Amino acid sequence: NNKLIKHWQRTTTNMTTMSSNGDLPQAQAPAEPAPFDLGAKLSQRLREHTATRDRTQRRMETEAGQLQNLTKAAPKRPRESKTVLEQKAKRLERDRTTRSLPLAQEKAILRQIDAAKKGIRQHDQGDKHQILLRRKKAEVEASRAALRTINVTLSEIETALSKVELGKKLGCLPSEVICRDISCPMNKMNWAMGKNSENVKEIEDSVGVEIDVDKMRAKFTVRGSQVRVDEAVLRLEKFTKAVDEELRASSDVISYLLSQQSSVLNKIKENNPEVVIDLLATRFKMRGHPDKIQKVKDDIGGVQVFSKTRLLVGRETSHVVGKTGGTLHAFSEKYGVVMDVSKKDGDKTNLRVIGPSENVDAALAEVDKLLVENEEIEESIVVDPLLKSELLNNSGANIKEFQRSVSSAVEAGHPEAGGVLLSFGRNGSKEENPTLILKCSRCAMDRAKSLVTKKVEQFESNVISIDVPEEMISAIIGKGGAVIGDLRHEGKGAVVETDANNKGAIKVYSSDSTTRDAIRQKIDQIIAENQTGSIPIEKGIIGFLLGDPGKDMRNACSELGCTLNMSTDDTELVIKGTNEKIKQASELLKDFLAKNFIAELDVASDEQPLLFMGGSDSILHQVENKHNVKASFRKSKNVLEARGEAGKVSAALDDIKCFLNGGDGVAVCKFKVDDKAKGGVIGRGGSNIAKLEDEFKGILIHVPKDNNTISIRGPEDLVEKCRIRLITTIATARVVENIDIDLSQHEKLSKSNIIKKISRLTNTQMTLNETSIRVRGMNDDVRYAKANIEENLTGVYHGYIHLEASQLSRVKSAVAKDPSHFQRIHASTGAEVIHESDAIHIFGKRSNVIEAKASVIADFLSFMLPRQLQTVKMHKTLLKSMGDPGRLAQIATETGASICLDRDINSVLIRSDDANICDKAVGLVNSMMVECQKLIVVMKFDSSDSWLMSVIVGKGGSSIKKLEKETECSFDIIKDERTVVILADSEKLVQAGQKALDNMILQARKECIFIYLPESALPAFIGRGGAGIKKIAADNDVQVDRTKTRPSTICIKGTESCVTNARNAVLSWVKAWEARHIGITIDLTEQQITSILGKGGETVRSIEKETGCNIDVDRQQLTLTVKYGKDANRDRAIEQIEAVIDGEATKGAEPTVGKAELIGEHAEIAIDKAEGTTETDSSSSYAPGDPSEEIVDPSEDIAGLDGVEVGGDDEEVAEAAEGAADEAKSKEEETGVATEEAESAETVEVNATGDESDKTVDHPVGQLLV
């Protein structure tokens, strides 16, 4: 291509030279050949090479597809190589031909040979395919190389063609085209390019070059001839080499140059076109040649600007600014200044004038002149109040119309003055006349004031003043201004007002004289009709007179033309009307008040229904008919009103008082009842009350809805009988209460027998549901059961101390004055004590609550209520019989005291406001307790006999149920105290029950015995895998078990004969074992045993190792036995043990004389105790009323039922055996007497005073101790 270009240039030059030199003769010159078109030639080659590239591209794509197909069709090769397969085939062939093989084995080798040959063939096919792939890859690579060469050639042709076309475009030869890059600061690129590249296009068009813009590299590329490129570069450098500068200027200069009235800035721009000037808020920004920029700075510095400020107040601003700023704009144009108005504060503004000094002064002088002419002034005129009312009527429409008329008249003579503003000033007091204030410009004030004064004088000529009595003013005004409102509409209408300066005058304004006269006549008539009179009246009858009952009387007075009102102090009834009518109305009212005397009686809210009970036979109807009065009850005040003649009203109220409070043979009895028992007293639909009222004719029983106080009214004897009946009914009524529980609590209760235990303890019926527990029983029992259940669920026990209303009131007052009473009890017991409307409540742990309750009664209530709250204590075994609600209710009715059983402190609580009544009730309760003690026997067992509890109960309670059925007695088990309580209706039955129980216990002792074995004998006795103990059990047909905590004690159970045989067998075995294992035994103390054993038994083990003997330490018997080995070794072991004992004694020696004496005293006490223990029976009865008995936590009743399972448990029997063994050992050590068998004891009955009676009963409850 370069050769073509050079050939074309050379040919063109030669032909041009020859033609200019005349070397070519004109006549002989051949026809001029067509000029050589390099562009066309290059275009032709471009097309040819493009076609060649396309063919090569298609061929390469075809070959690439073929290569891909060959790759996909490549045959699979075996895993083994060709060489391996050939060797394998040779080896197999050699094996087949060199050895004689069975046919089947030879066939298998042949198959392997064929498989190897097949693999060799696959390798051959793969090799051939690889050759084809390599050839095809070489063809594809050759096509790619050819395509790259063609692409390079095409790129060169395109470059040459573009150069030729550019030369044609610019009018120069391609060889003359040059290219130059010009760098430009990035921040000036857009400015140099111009908007939409206008600057670049302008240079291209005017100079004849091509300019490319590279924004990324911030440069311009210029192409063209040398001369044109240089010119274009010079023009571009005006932009690329320009500088940016800023010039700070004052705000006044900026404002002035920016204003429309200033042409200075435009002139500066016209004089410096090569500099770009931007005017910002506080500075000038310039871009251009540094010299040009300096000239602009000088021009700006020559501008001289001044500013002045003037304060404008109020309406001065609007005068200066003018309508839509017209005045301000006119001043600015006139004087060539900038005028700016800015808000200062309130109604003040600042006027700032900026410009040349002379222009500023002239503009401000023009402003001052304008303000003086339009200064607003104010004047006032005193007017009549009626004029003010007239002008302000209709929401001020009149004064607005008046203002418009005055403004129009003023503007007609002074158009520039503006309008007039009318308003009323504020008066200092009502007596002052109002002032009408005029506001307008100075030039218009005289005209405006003249017009207003004329209007005021015209109004005052139509005003009249009427003098009236001061008390008649209210009548003229009327209720809510009704009367004076009618006067204002009289005739053609008028303004009627009271005179503020003269309280006895009425002013009337009307432009019509007839209307003024008519209003005067109306006022005179009102005065005549509103004379006043008065009569005295009681406050109690005011409401009656002014309410519905007095409606007829008020209507009668109204028909006479009189009105009634109360005096300000409500002591007089004021009558208004003519004097004659007032007299008539006074007579009617006096007669009415005499016949309607009203008196009131306060009635307690809970006694209100009593007034209406009985319907037509109610006490209210009876009183009304008897005394001819009207009675009504006012609930808002809780009073009974009686209306009629004064004497009859007084007699009627006396009858009501007697009915409510008693007297004249009428008795009233009131007492409180628990919420739960209230329904039982009333009955379904009041049936129980109706039966009592029918039975005791003449009494009335009332149970209010909002409290629990029952009242009985009627003859004294019937009231007393009814009271006794009600108290008995309440005490024996069965109530039901539901205790809400959640699912987790239900699950907990359903898995335990706590519901059963509480039900048995409290004599209640309890039903467990998923969401609640239903408790039914006597009221006190239900409350006690609820407290136990809530304690089990929440851990908090709730105790009560119920008091009489008056007693509780005194307690509240005392605690309110000194809260420390309950605070001290809380601090000492840990239980919270509070008082409510019904009782003293105590919360906390059960033991703390019981302690707090005892403290409240003994320390606080005994002081606050001396002998008014007394307690009768008893043993817990008497609670069931003493808790008979019928008998307690009978005592309550006989004495009038309130009596309840408190299981928390094992007492009967007696309370009354009368101490003598309490004393009487205490005596009756003690008598009742003496009777109950005769019908109860308490049998208490030693700890060693605790296993008998399960035997007495039996499986599923079968044994105790059988006893109860046979003896007609009730047997209660208190397991924790190892106590059985026998109750019956007679002493004979109680003794029979006791005897039956003794027989059961005696038989149980014969069928279950406990034997203690030496610890060292146990392994031999038990045998390998328990063989020994099993053999004894099998041979004697008994059950033999070891106790858990006392492994050396065994329990033998079975029939009486089998147990005896087994016992003899065990004793024989023990005797034989002891004969074979004779050793040296010494007695020790517990401390000595500890010293001999040593830490972890190391001392005794070391002695055994040294001597070769076996040392057996029995902690229960406090003995040590040395066995086995030679006699000398056993003696040596004993010597070492005694040395250990002596060493320990030396460490603890040096006792003082006092200590020795103390030990002697303790020894004497121990001997006395041992002697007493020897004489103690294993089972004894005691007096339940013994005062020495401590108060027992009622929770022990519940806990005492734990473990009383069906038929008893072997483990319980075993544990009981342990206790038996321990007790036997302690008795042997203290008394020195080894007791093998105790077969009889005595039961001593104690009377109520605690003394032993003469009667004794043999009691076979002996125990076998081996």
Side-chain angles (χ1 to χ4, degrees):
N1 293 325
N2 291 332
K3 291 179 180 179
L4 286 172
I5 293 172
K6 292 178 179 178
H7 172 71
W8 175 73
Q9 292 175 347
R10 189 167 53 249
T11 303
T12 304
T13 303
N14 293 336
M15 290 177 67
T16 303
T17 303
M18 291 174 66
S19 176
S20 61
N21 295 334
D23 293 338
L24 293 177
Q26 298 295 328
Q28 297 178 0
E32 185 177 354
F36 179 73
D37 190 351
L38 181 58
K41 190 66 175 176
L42 290 173
S43 297
Q44 179 183 355
R45 288 196 177 185
L46 182 62
R47 288 191 294 272
E48 292 172 355
H49 280 77
T50 301
T52 303
R53 183 192 62 184
D54 293 341
R55 288 193 300 271
T56 306
Q57 180 71 32
R58 288 194 294 272
R59 184 175 69 249
M60 185 189 69
E61 292 174 353
T62 301
E63 293 171 348
Q66 294 173 352
L67 177 61
Q68 188 175 4
N69 292 335
L70 284 173
T71 303
K72 291 181 180 178
K76 293 183 178 180
R77 291 177 179 266
R79 292 186 179 181
E80 297 174 328
S81 65
K82 183 178 179 181
T83 304
V84 173
L85 290 173
E86 289 174 348
Q87 292 175 356
K88 183 178 181 181
K90 290 178 181 180
R91 186 181 71 255
L92 291 172
E93 183 64 27
R94 185 173 59 252
D95 292 342
R96 186 181 69 82
T97 56
T98 58
R99 291 190 301 168
S100 177
L101 301 172
L103 181 60
Q105 188 173 358
E106 184 177 4
K107 286 182 178 181
I109 292 175
L110 287 174
R111 285 194 294 270
Q112 293 180 14
I113 292 172
D114 291 339
K117 290 180 179 180
K118 183 179 178 181
I120 294 170
R121 288 194 299 272
Q122 289 176 347
H123 276 296
D124 293 339
Q125 291 175 1
D127 294 340
K128 292 178 182 178
H129 192 273
Q130 286 296 324
I131 293 171
L132 291 176
L133 281 176
R134 286 194 291 271
R135 288 177 182 174
K136 187 55 67 178
K137 287 181 180 178
E139 292 175 2
V140 172
E141 190 61 34
S143 298
R144 286 178 179 168
L147 185 60
R148 286 195 293 270
T149 302
I150 293 171
N151 286 334
V152 172
T153 303
L154 284 173
S155 177
E156 292 175 352
I157 293 173
E158 288 173 351
T159 302
L161 183 59
S162 64
K163 198 170 185 180
V164 170
E165 289 176 352
L166 180 60
K168 288 181 180 181
K169 178 181 177 182
L170 300 179
C172 62
L173 298 175
S175 59
E176 295 177 350
V177 175
I178 65 171
C179 178
R180 187 181 300 176
D181 293 335
I182 302 175
S183 297
C184 179
M186 185 63 74
N187 60 342
K188 296 179 182 178
M189 281 294 296
N190 291 333
W191 177 58
M193 290 169 58
K195 187 177 182 181
N196 297 325
S197 299
E198 291 177 354
N199 294 341
V200 173
K201 292 177 181 178
E202 191 273 330
I203 295 173
E204 286 180 333
D205 294 340
S206 61
V207 178
V209 294
E210 183 180 68
I211 302 175
D212 292 334
V213 180
D214 189 348
K215 289 187 177 182
M216 296 297 294
R217 295 180 178 83
K219 69 177 182 177
F220 295 96
T221 302
V222 184
R223 294 185 182 89
S225 62
Q226 180 70 41
V227 176
R228 294 177 180 178
V229 169
D230 291 341
E231 183 179 354
V233 168
L234 288 174
R235 296 183 64 173
L236 283 173
E237 286 179 347
K238 292 180 180 179
F239 299 102
T240 60
K241 294 185 178 180
V243 296
D244 291 333
E245 291 192 19
E246 292 183 356
L247 176 63
R248 294 281 176 176
S250 64
S251 59
D252 292 343
V253 173
I254 298 294
S255 300
Y256 179 68
L257 294 178
L258 285 175
S259 66
Q260 296 179 358
Q261 291 73 31
S262 174
S263 60
V264 177
L265 183 60
N266 294 333
K267 291 179 181 179
I268 293 174
K269 289 182 178 181
E270 291 175 1
N271 295 335
N272 301 277
E274 296 178 358
V275 178
V276 178
I277 303 174
D278 293 329
L279 184 56
L280 304 179
T282 59
R283 65 190 186 279
F284 291 91
K285 192 173 182 181
M286 297 166 287
R287 176 176 288 170
H289 194 276
D291 296 338
K292 301 294 184 180
I293 289 176
Q294 184 59 45
K295 184 174 181 302
V296 173
K297 289 181 179 180
D298 295 339
D299 292 343
I300 293 172
V303 178
Q304 298 294 324
V305 175
F306 300 90
S307 66
K308 289 186 179 181
T309 302
R310 189 191 190 285
L311 181 65
L312 302 178
V313 181
R315 296 181 64 184
E316 291 181 349
T317 304
S318 59
H319 290 317
V320 173
V321 174
K323 190 174 183 180
T324 67
T327 305
L328 194 67
H329 185 66
F331 285 168
S332 297
E333 287 187 346
K334 180 177 179 181
Y335 296 103
V337 294
V338 177
M339 304 185 74
D340 178 51
V341 177
S342 60
K343 187 78 173 177
K344 186 177 181 184
D345 54 4
D347 61 345
K348 297 179 181 180
T349 56
N350 284 331
L351 173 64
R352 193 170 182 222
V353 184
I354 304 170
S357 177
E358 295 178 357
N359 298 6
V360 170
D361 293 339
L364 287 175
E366 187 75 16
V367 169
D368 292 339
K369 180 180 178 182
L370 175 66
L371 294 177
V372 170
E373 293 177 353
N374 290 279
E375 181 183 4
E376 185 178 73
I377 61 174
E378 177 182 308
E379 291 195 16
S380 61
I381 301 174
V382 179
V383 298
D384 193 278
L386 290 181
L387 177 58
K388 179 178 180 181
S389 299
E390 174 68 13
L391 291 177
L392 295 181
N393 276 341
N394 300 325
S395 301
N398 293 339
I399 193 171
K400 292 177 182 177
E401 180 60 30
F402 185 28
Q403 181 175 285
R404 279 195 296 270
S405 63
V406 174
S407 297
S408 299
V410 170
E411 288 177 354
H414 300 277
E416 74 286 353
V420 177
L421 179 64
L422 300 179
S423 62
F424 284 98
R426 293 185 178 181
N427 295 345
S429 63
K430 293 184 178 180
E431 290 75 12
E432 294 182 4
N433 286 331
T435 55
L436 181 63
I437 300 173
L438 291 77
K439 290 183 180 180
C440 62
S441 60
R442 186 186 301 277
C443 58
M445 177 55 73
D446 292 340
R447 175 62 176 162
K449 188 173 182 180
S450 173
L451 293 172
V452 172
T453 302
K454 184 177 180 181
K455 176 69 175 179
V456 171
E457 292 173 352
Q458 181 182 357
F459 178 86
E460 290 178 348
S461 63
N462 293 318
V463 176
I464 61 172
S465 179
I466 304 172
D467 293 331
V468 297
E470 187 173 341
E471 63 272 10
M472 292 296 171
I473 296 297
S474 59
I476 294 172
I477 294 174
K479 187 176 181 180
V483 177
I484 198 169
D486 293 339
L487 292 176
R488 288 168 180 163
H489 293 90
E490 188 71 25
K492 295 183 179 180
V495 177
V496 182
E497 298 288 349
T498 60
D499 191 343
N501 297 321
N502 185 0
K503 294 183 179 180
I506 301 294
K507 282 192 172 184
V508 181
Y509 162 76
S510 177
S511 58
D512 180 35
S513 60
T514 304
T515 300
R516 294 196 295 271
D517 294 338
I519 291 174
R520 184 190 295 273
Q521 292 176 4
K522 288 284 186 181
I523 291 175
D524 292 339
Q525 182 181 352
I526 291 171
I527 293 172
E529 294 176 352
N530 283 277
Q531 299 299 313
T532 60
S534 63
I535 58 173
I537 187 173
E538 296 291 335
K539 288 187 178 181
I541 201 172
I542 293 175
F544 179 78
L545 176 62
L546 299 182
D548 287 341
K551 185 176 181 180
D552 293 339
M553 176 53 60
R554 295 198 307 274
N555 290 338
C557 293
S558 180
E559 290 175 359
L560 292 174
C562 296
T563 59
L564 304 179
N565 291 294
M566 294 303 303
S567 63
T568 56
D569 57 357
D570 290 338
T571 59
E572 291 184 340
L573 181 64
V574 179
I575 308 170
K576 286 187 178 181
T578 63
N579 292 328
E580 182 181 356
K581 301 297 182 183
I582 290 172
K583 184 176 180 181
Q584 296 177 11
S586 297
E587 295 297 329
L588 291 174
L589 287 168
K590 289 178 181 178
D591 183 61
F592 175 82
L593 295 176
K595 295 179 179 180
N596 290 281
F597 176 77
I598 294 177
E600 295 180 348
L601 175 65
D602 293 333
V603 180
S605 58
D606 58 340
E607 294 180 341
Q608 295 171 13
L610 292 169
L611 302 176
F612 305 96
M613 292 178 63
S616 59
D617 294 332
S618 66
I619 185 64
L620 285 185
H621 283 130
Q622 294 176 18
V623 168
E624 287 179 338
N625 296 332
K626 178 180 178 181
H627 299 287
N628 192 23
V629 296
K630 294 292 182 181
S632 61
F633 188 79
R634 299 179 64 182
K635 289 186 177 181
S636 59
K637 298 173 61 177
N638 287 336
V639 296
L640 176 68
E641 284 187 349
R643 176 172 57 86
E645 296 180 7
K648 296 180 178 180
V649 167
S650 178
L653 292 182
D654 289 341
D655 289 351
I656 297 293
K657 291 177 184 178
C658 181
F659 172 77
L660 294 177
N661 304 321
D664 292 338
V666 177
V668 177
C669 174
K670 296 182 181 181
F671 57 92
K672 284 191 174 182
V673 63
D674 192 88
D675 277 334
K676 306 176 189 64
K678 185 176 178 181
V681 173
I682 298 173
R684 186 181 297 274
S687 59
N688 293 346
I689 291 179
K691 290 179 182 178
L692 287 172
E693 289 179 344
D694 185 61
E695 181 180 352
F696 302 101
K697 295 289 186 180
I699 68 166
L700 181 65
I701 302 173
H702 174 56
V703 183
K705 293 182 178 180
D706 53 351
N707 64 53
N708 301 331
T709 302
I710 297 178
S711 62
I712 309 172
R713 290 173 170 80
E716 293 181 358
D717 57 338
L718 295 179
V719 167
E720 180 61 21
K721 292 179 181 179
C722 184
R723 182 184 72 86
I724 294 172
R725 176 72 61 82
L726 273 176
I727 291 176
T728 304
T729 301
I730 293 169
T732 58
R734 299 184 72 82
V735 299
V736 176
E737 184 163 350
N738 291 319
I739 304 171
D740 294 333
I741 60 174
D742 55 31
L743 292 177
S744 62
Q745 292 171 338
H746 174 268
E747 183 179 2
K748 175 184 176 182
L749 293 174
S750 61
K751 291 181 179 179
S752 65
N753 59 350
I754 189 66
I755 294 293
K756 180 180 177 182
K757 293 177 182 178
I758 295 176
S759 176
R760 183 177 176 183
L761 171 70
T762 59
N763 298 322
T764 57
Q765 296 176 357
M766 306 178 70
T767 305
L768 176 62
N769 301 315
E770 288 188 358
T771 58
S772 64
I773 303 173
R774 186 175 184 270
V775 186
R776 186 173 185 272
M778 301 299 177
N779 187 39
D780 290 341
D781 295 338
V782 169
R783 183 167 58 244
Y784 186 62
K786 180 180 178 182
N788 280 279
I789 291 172
E790 290 178 346
E791 180 196 21
N792 185 270
L793 296 177
T794 65
V796 178
Y797 185 71
H798 185 184
Y800 309 83
I801 302 176
H802 289 279
L803 300 175
E804 300 298 314
S806 60
Q807 296 173 342
L808 197 59
S809 176
R810 292 166 61 186
V811 169
K812 289 180 179 179
S813 300
V815 174
K817 292 179 181 178
D818 185 6
S820 64
H821 294 303
F822 286 174
Q823 292 173 358
R824 284 193 299 270
I825 295 174
H826 173 67
S828 62
T829 65
E832 183 180 0
V833 184
I834 61 174
H835 58 79
E836 298 289 349
S837 60
D838 58 338
I840 295 175
H841 296 255
I842 308 174
F843 302 89
K845 188 178 177 182
R846 179 190 290 266
S847 58
N848 295 345
V849 170
I850 293 173
E851 183 182 357
K853 181 180 285 191
S855 178
V856 169
I857 294 174
D859 300 337
F860 178 66
L861 294 179
S862 61
F863 173 76
M864 289 294 303
L865 310 170
R867 294 175 54 214
Q868 294 179 10
L869 176 66
Q870 300 189 37
T871 60
V872 177
K873 291 188 176 181
M874 66 197 69
H875 189 266
K876 63 191 302 182
T877 55
L878 284 173
L879 290 176
K880 186 172 182 179
S881 55
M882 287 297 292
D884 184 356
R887 298 185 65 181
L888 292 179
Q890 184 178 358
I891 296 175
T893 55
E894 290 179 10
T895 62
S898 297
I899 302 175
C900 65
L901 179 68
D902 194 322
R903 288 184 173 86
D904 290 338
I905 56 176
N906 299 333
S907 302
V908 173
L909 294 185
I910 304 169
R911 64 181 187 273
S912 174
D913 292 332
D914 189 342
N916 294 324
I917 291 177
C918 281
D919 294 339
K920 182 179 178 181
V922 169
L924 293 176
V925 170
N926 281 324
S927 299
M928 175 183 172
M929 187 167 62
V930 171
E931 295 177 5
C932 291
Q933 287 169 344
K934 295 177 181 178
L935 305 177
I936 184 172
V937 170
V938 180
M939 298 178 64
K940 189 168 184 179
F941 296 85
D942 293 334
S943 60
S944 60
D945 292 332
S946 60
W947 62 276
L948 288 171
M949 297 292 100
S950 300
V951 176
I952 294 171
V953 175
K955 186 174 183 180
S958 58
S959 299
I960 198 168
K961 289 178 181 177
K962 183 179 179 182
L963 278 175
E964 289 178 342
K965 185 177 181 180
E966 292 175 351
T967 62
E968 299 182 6
C969 297
S970 174
F971 293 83
D972 289 337
I973 308 297
I974 307 176
K975 187 178 179 183
D976 283 356
E977 296 183 5
R978 301 182 299 281
T979 302
V980 180
V981 182
I982 307 173
L983 301 96
D985 294 334
S986 67
E987 292 185 58
K988 185 177 180 180
L989 291 176
V990 171
Q991 293 172 3
Q994 181 181 0
K995 184 176 181 180
L997 182 61
D998 290 343
N999 293 334
M1000 176 187 288
I1001 294 171
L1002 181 60
Q1003 185 63 29
R1005 293 188 184 280
K1006 293 178 180 179
E1007 295 175 353
C1008 179
I1009 65 173
F1010 303 89
I1011 301 177
Y1012 172 77
L1013 301 176
E1015 288 186 9
S1016 56
L1018 281 175
F1021 178 79
I1022 295 172
R1024 183 182 298 272
I1029 199 169
K1030 290 178 181 178
K1031 183 176 185 305
I1032 290 179
D1035 292 345
N1036 298 280
D1037 193 20
V1038 294
Q1039 179 182 344
V1040 183
D1041 296 307
R1042 294 175 65 195
T1043 60
K1044 286 185 177 179
T1045 57
R1046 302 288 186 181
S1048 59
T1049 301
I1050 63 172
C1051 172
I1052 303 175
K1053 290 192 294 184
T1055 61
E1056 181 178 353
S1057 60
C1058 293
V1059 168
T1060 301
N1061 294 335
R1063 169 181 173 272
N1064 294 333
V1066 171
L1067 293 178
S1068 298
W1069 185 92
V1070 171
K1071 186 175 181 180
W1073 181 88
E1074 289 180 342
R1076 295 193 304 270
H1077 298 84
I1078 298 174
I1080 302 175
T1081 301
I1082 61 174
D1083 293 332
L1084 302 171
T1085 65
E1086 181 66 32
Q1087 186 175 2
Q1088 290 172 344
I1089 290 176
T1090 303
S1091 302
I1092 293 169
L1093 291 176
K1095 186 176 181 181
E1098 60 183 5
T1099 303
V1100 72
R1101 282 199 300 271
S1102 65
I1103 296 174
E1104 287 179 334
K1105 184 177 180 181
E1106 183 179 347
T1107 61
C1109 298
N1110 183 17
I1111 300 175
D1112 187 2
V1113 178
D1114 191 337
R1115 279 183 176 271
Q1116 294 183 5
Q1117 301 293 337
L1118 298 179
T1119 61
L1120 182 146
T1121 303
V1122 181
K1123 304 176 183 178
Y1124 311 128
K1126 296 180 180 180
D1127 293 341
N1129 292 340
R1130 288 199 296 270
D1131 293 340
R1132 189 152 54 91
I1134 291 294
E1135 291 176 359
Q1136 293 185 11
I1137 291 170
E1138 289 176 348
V1140 172
I1141 294 173
D1142 293 341
E1144 185 65 26
T1146 303
K1147 294 179 182 179
E1150 301 177 2
T1152 62
V1153 175
K1155 184 174 181 181
E1157 293 175 355
L1158 182 61
I1159 293 173
E1161 292 176 3
H1162 286 181
E1164 293 176 2
I1165 293 172
I1167 293 171
D1168 295 340
K1169 183 178 179 182
E1171 294 173 353
T1173 305
T1174 305
E1175 297 173 359
T1176 302
D1177 296 327
S1178 61
S1179 175
S1180 62
S1181 298
Y1182 58 89
D1186 189 352
S1188 64
E1189 282 290 328
E1190 296 182 356
I1191 295 176
V1192 182
D1193 187 347
S1195 63
E1196 295 175 359
D1197 290 350
I1198 301 174
L1201 298 174
D1202 290 340
V1204 182
E1205 302 296 341
V1206 177
D1209 189 356
D1210 290 344
E1211 293 182 2
E1212 291 178 344
V1213 175
E1215 291 173 1
E1218 298 166 17
D1222 291 344
E1223 183 128 349
K1225 292 177 185 177
S1226 62
K1227 287 183 178 180
E1228 281 188 68
E1229 292 173 2
E1230 293 176 357
T1231 63
V1233 179
T1235 304
E1236 290 189 358
E1237 192 173 288
E1239 297 181 347
S1240 63
E1242 292 182 347
T1243 300
V1244 181
E1245 291 191 355
V1246 184
N1247 59 22
T1249 60
D1251 298 328
E1252 295 185 1
S1253 63
D1254 296 331
K1255 182 174 63 175
T1256 61
V1257 181
D1258 290 338
H1259 183 36
V1261 290
Q1263 56 183 345
L1264 177 64
L1265 301 174
V1266 181

